[in-house]
């Protein structure tokens, strides 16, 4: 933005300090003039013939007052310039840091020393903003790199299969088409997951009242065939609890949690429990599953994009795209909620989502799928 040149803040403060000193001195001299000289006799002999008269004192006082005002103005300008420099020094640091940040350098910090005041509070807030921006930019770059890598794999496989078909036209076409379809399906699933993650990160969705218990039931019904195929019991319990948000995104959130709980479970005889309730003014969805023990150090990485939890045991060849819990975390964050992942002592994981909501209503229920 282009602006017309103007006085600097340092010069404005200097002029303000000098003006304040000058006005204060003028008022003081005026008070002396009014309350002291007015009582001096205005005669040629003065007071009792030994004191100067008002006319003489006025001339002497006037010259001294003019010199005093000139010195006060000079002192005000010099002192104001020095004080303004000291006062604005922290602002100069913040401005320099902001300019560096404008060029793309987000790794530096101001870390202003001294006791707490308005400038240091501003510097600390600016440092916090830079830290968050750096983290966000690094996360976006890492996400873009991982997404490019993940998308390159199915495209490279498709290219290899097409080259193979071109070199060997007599090869079984059905097998080739089946492999191409599987690779293409994976690429589509990955692209849709990326779009959904981007949408939830932006938070540009309309909000409505959503009953999380109904969302949990719909997600369970959708994944019932997968649970039955794996011999896993899927239970939905709890009461009606409402929150405000996108019904589509919340359904995807619960679906991803339940699918993750089904996939990472025991080979047979496992259980998945989905529970909804209102708790301390929040709407809670808890998904708990059996399974093999989850290392504690692995839990913080589970919500990162493309982190499939390679140390977790799956019951079959299901690989996923590594975005399931990342999407859950993004949706929860977009709805101003929290996501807690806690390993169960006997194996498996407890995923608890807390979203802003009202009190629960309705009777408790249990559904065994």
């Amino acid at each position: 933005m282009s602006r017309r040149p103007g006085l600097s803040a340092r010069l404005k403060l200097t002029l303000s300090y000098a003006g304040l000193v000058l006005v204060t001195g003028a008022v003081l001299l005026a008070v002396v003039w009014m309350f002291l000289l007015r009582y001096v006799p205005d005669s040629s002999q003065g007071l009792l013939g030994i004191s100067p008269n008002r006319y003489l004192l006025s001339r002497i006082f006037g010259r001294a007052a003019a010199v005093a005002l000139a010195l006060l103005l000079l002192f005000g300008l010099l002192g104001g310039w020095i004080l303004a420099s000291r006062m604005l020094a922290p602002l100069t640091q913040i401005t320099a840091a902001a300019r560096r940040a404008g060029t793309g350098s987000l790794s530096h910090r101001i870390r202003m020393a001294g006791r707490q005041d308005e400038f240091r509070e501003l510097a600390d807030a600016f440092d916090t903003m830079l830290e968050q921006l750096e983290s966000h930019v690094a996360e976006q770059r890492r996400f873009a790199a991982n997404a490019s890598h993940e998308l390159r794999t199915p495209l490279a496989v498709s290219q290899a299969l097409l080259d193979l078909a071109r070199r060997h036209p007599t090869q079984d076409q059905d097998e080739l088409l089946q492999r191409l379809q599987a690779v293409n399906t994976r690429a589509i699933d990955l692209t849709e997951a990326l779009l959904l993650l981007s949408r939830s990160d932006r938070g540009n969705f309309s909000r409505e009242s959503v009953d999380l218990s109904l969302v949990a039931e719909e997600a369970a019904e959708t994944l019932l065939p997968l649970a039955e195929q794996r011999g896993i019991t899927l239970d939905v319990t709890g009461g009606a609890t409402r929150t405000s948000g996108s019904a589509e995104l919340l359904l995807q959130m619960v679906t991803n949690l339940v699918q993750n709980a089904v996939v990472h479970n025991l080979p047979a005889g496992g259980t998945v429990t989905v529970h909804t309730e209102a708790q301390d003014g929040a709407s809670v969805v808890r998904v708990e599953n059996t399974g093999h023990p989850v290392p504690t150090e692995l839990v913080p990485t589970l919500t990162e994009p493309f982190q499939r939890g390679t140390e977790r045991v799956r019951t079959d060849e299901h690989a996923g795209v590594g975005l399931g819990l990342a999407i859950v975390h993004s949706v929860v964050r977009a709805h101003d909620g929290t996501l807690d992942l806690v390993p169960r002592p006997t194996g498996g994981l407890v995923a608890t989502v807390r979203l802003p909501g009202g009190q629960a209503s309705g009777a408790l229920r249990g559904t065994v799928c």
Side-chain angles (χ1 to χ4, degrees), residues 58-70:
S58 299
R59 295 190 62 182
I60 297 174
F61 182 78
R63 286 193 297 268
V67 173
L69 289 177

Side-chain angles (χ1 to χ4, degrees), residues 295-360:
T296 305
E297 63 275 8
L298 181 65
V299 174
T301 68
L302 296 179
T303 57
E304 296 182 8
F306 305 106
Q307 297 294 322
R308 298 187 180 86
T310 53
E311 298 181 35
R312 302 181 68 188
V313 179
R314 299 180 178 87
T315 56
D316 64 1
E317 71 281 355
H318 181 83
V321 296
L323 290 174
L325 289 180
I327 292 175
V328 170
H329 184 252
S330 179
V331 172
V332 171
R333 185 172 51 190
H335 286 78
D336 303 319
T338 60
L339 171 64
D340 295 322
L341 301 176
V342 179
R344 297 175 71 246
T346 58
L349 196 68
V350 179
T352 305
V353 175
R354 290 180 175 85
L355 300 174
Q359 298 295 326

Side-chain angles (χ1 to χ4, degrees), residues 208-277:
E208 58 181 311
S209 179
V210 180
D211 188 348
L212 292 178
S213 64
L214 299 180
V215 171
E217 289 180 353
E218 184 175 353
E221 290 177 2
T222 302
L223 293 171
L224 177 58
L226 178 64
E228 291 179 340
Q229 178 184 355
R230 298 163 182 264
I232 294 174
T233 301
L234 183 57
D235 294 338
V236 180
T237 64
T241 177
R242 291 189 169 274
T243 188
S244 177
S246 168
E248 178 185 359
L249 290 178
L250 292 174
L251 175 60
Q252 187 67 49
M253 175 194 74
V254 179
T255 300
N256 284 7
L257 285 175
V258 176
Q259 182 177 5
N260 185 78
V262 171
V263 170
H264 300 281
N265 214 307
L266 297 174
T271 61
V272 175
T273 302
V274 185
H275 181 76
T276 60
E277 64 176 342

Side-chain angles (χ1 to χ4, degrees), residues 95-108 126 130 141:
T95 302
R99 285 175 177 166
R100 289 184 60 184
T103 62
S105 176
L106 302 176
S107 59
H108 66 284
F126 191 82
L130 285 179
R141 289 175 178 173

Side-chain angles (χ1 to χ4, degrees), residues 33 37 52-66:
W33 178 276
L37 295 183
N53 59 28
R54 185 185 303 175
Y55 173 77
L56 181 59
L57 287 179
S58 299
R59 295 190 62 182
I60 297 174
F61 182 78
R63 286 193 297 268

Side-chain angles (χ1 to χ4, degrees), residues 76-323:
L77 289 173
L78 181 60
W81 184 261
I82 296 175
L83 289 176
S85 300
R86 293 178 60 87
M87 289 295 297
L88 294 178
L91 189 60
T92 303
Q93 290 182 258
I94 298 174
T95 302
R99 285 175 177 166
R100 289 184 60 184
T103 62
S105 176
L106 302 176
S107 59
H108 66 284
R109 300 292 182 268
I110 301 175
R111 295 189 176 91
M112 189 174 297
R115 296 186 177 182
Q116 185 71 17
D117 59 15
E118 289 80 357
F119 284 118
R120 283 155 185 80
E121 185 177 355
L122 177 60
D124 293 342
F126 191 82
D127 284 343
T128 302
M129 181 191 69
L130 285 179
E131 184 177 356
Q132 293 177 349
L133 284 175
E134 184 182 21
S135 176
H136 181 71
V137 170
E139 181 181 352
Q140 292 297 320
R141 289 175 178 173
R142 183 170 62 252
F143 177 79
N146 290 335
S148 300
H149 175 75
E150 294 290 331
L151 285 172
R152 182 177 60 182
T153 300
L155 294 176
V157 173
S158 298
Q159 182 65 42
L161 292 175
L162 291 175
D163 291 341
L164 179 63
R166 187 180 299 109
R167 289 195 303 266
H168 304 283
T170 58
Q171 191 174 1
D172 188 0
Q173 298 296 320
D174 292 338
E175 180 182 358
L176 178 62
L177 291 175
Q178 185 176 0
R179 294 175 63 184
L180 278 174
Q181 183 179 10
V183 173
N184 186 63
T185 300
R186 174 174 172 77
I188 292 175
D189 292 342
L190 177 58
T191 303
E192 290 180 348
L194 289 172
L195 292 174
L196 180 61
L197 183 59
S198 175
R199 179 189 173 193
S200 59
D201 280 338
R202 291 195 306 267
N204 56 345
F205 52 83
S206 58
R207 294 177 178 268
E208 58 181 311
S209 179
V210 180
D211 188 348
L212 292 178
S213 64
L214 299 180
V215 171
E217 289 180 353
E218 184 175 353
E221 290 177 2
T222 302
L223 293 171
L224 177 58
L226 178 64
E228 291 179 340
Q229 178 184 355
R230 298 163 182 264
I232 294 174
T233 301
L234 183 57
D235 294 338
V236 180
T237 64
T241 177
R242 291 189 169 274
T243 188
S244 177
S246 168
E248 178 185 359
L249 290 178
L250 292 174
L251 175 60
Q252 187 67 49
M253 175 194 74
V254 179
T255 300
N256 284 7
L257 285 175
V258 176
Q259 182 177 5
N260 185 78
V262 171
V263 170
H264 300 281
N265 214 307
L266 297 174
T271 61
V272 175
T273 302
V274 185
H275 181 76
T276 60
E277 64 176 342
Q279 188 179 88
D280 298 329
S283 297
V284 178
V285 179
R286 184 180 301 108
V287 179
E288 182 176 357
N289 70 318
T290 56
H292 296 274
V294 180
T296 305
E297 63 275 8
L298 181 65
V299 174
T301 68
L302 296 179
T303 57
E304 296 182 8
F306 305 106
Q307 297 294 322
R308 298 187 180 86
T310 53
E311 298 181 35
R312 302 181 68 188
V313 179
R314 299 180 178 87
T315 56
D316 64 1
E317 71 281 355
H318 181 83
V321 296
L323 290 174

